[in-house]
Amino acid sequence: MPKPSKPTTKAPTVLDLFCGAGGMSLGFQNAGCEILGGIDKNPHAIRTHHRNFPNCELKLAAKPIESITDLSELGLQPGKVDILIGGPPCQVFSVVGNGKMRSLGKQIESDLRNFLYEQFIRFVEYYKPLFFVIENVNHLRNHWIFPLLIEDLEKGVHKKTNCNYPGYNISKLSQSALYLTHL
């Protein structure tokens, strides 16, 4: 009598924004996920990500995420990304980064990095992943932008653009990450 075959399961797919060399990608890969690709503006970081994850479907050159205006041109269709992860730059949110910027006479409040989380929301709205994780330093919770970030996440990810759009629930706040799942 032949042995019953095990059902095949598809590994969850992950797209990593602000990926750097791929630390979060590595964690998700080690958890059994398939890394679709990473996006980062640092050429050294993105080259390292490509080397660390040579089988990625998406291999963009280094570019600022805000310069990607048409997400359909990335070649990943909505529904293809199961999990969206990312850690927007932390310099404007960290204690050390704030101190350095102030010592250089820079205006932290007007620094565009404060608002790069909006790009993350844009990707969530387009790809409609089952889950997403946005990670940053724990001082972010004390930063003036945090309530705005939460409000924008709730507004952006709860928009119902069609009947297939999943709703999301901010289910857990850790020291440095927001874990969000669909309802």
Side-chain angles (χ1 to χ4, degrees), residues 68-95:
I68 303 169
T69 55
D70 183 357
L71 298 184
S72 69
E73 291 180 359
L74 295 178
L76 301 173
Q77 299 306 313
K80 173 85 177 184
V81 177
D82 295 323
I83 306 170
L84 185 68
I85 62 175
C90 67
Q91 293 88 338
V92 292
F93 308 128
S94 72
V95 174

Side-chain angles (χ1 to χ4, degrees), residues 59-134:
K59 289 193 176 185
L60 290 180
K63 61 171 49 186
I65 196 167
E66 60 274 22
S67 72
I68 303 169
T69 55
D70 183 357
L71 298 184
S72 69
E73 291 180 359
L74 295 178
L76 301 173
Q77 299 306 313
K80 173 85 177 184
V81 177
D82 295 323
I83 306 170
L84 185 68
I85 62 175
C90 67
Q91 293 88 338
V92 292
F93 308 128
S94 72
V95 174
V96 172
N98 269 262
K100 182 175 181 179
M101 290 177 72
R102 288 193 202 293
S103 75
L104 296 172
K106 297 195 176 192
Q107 295 295 321
I108 297 167
E109 292 77 15
S110 61
D111 192 298
L112 295 179
R113 291 174 292 188
N114 281 311
F115 305 99
L116 284 175
Y117 73 87
E118 293 172 343
Q119 298 300 319
F120 190 91
I121 294 171
R122 183 170 65 98
F123 275 72
V124 169
E125 290 172 341
Y126 180 77
Y127 286 110
K128 301 170 182 58
L130 298 174
F131 304 94
F132 60 94
V133 178
I134 185 168

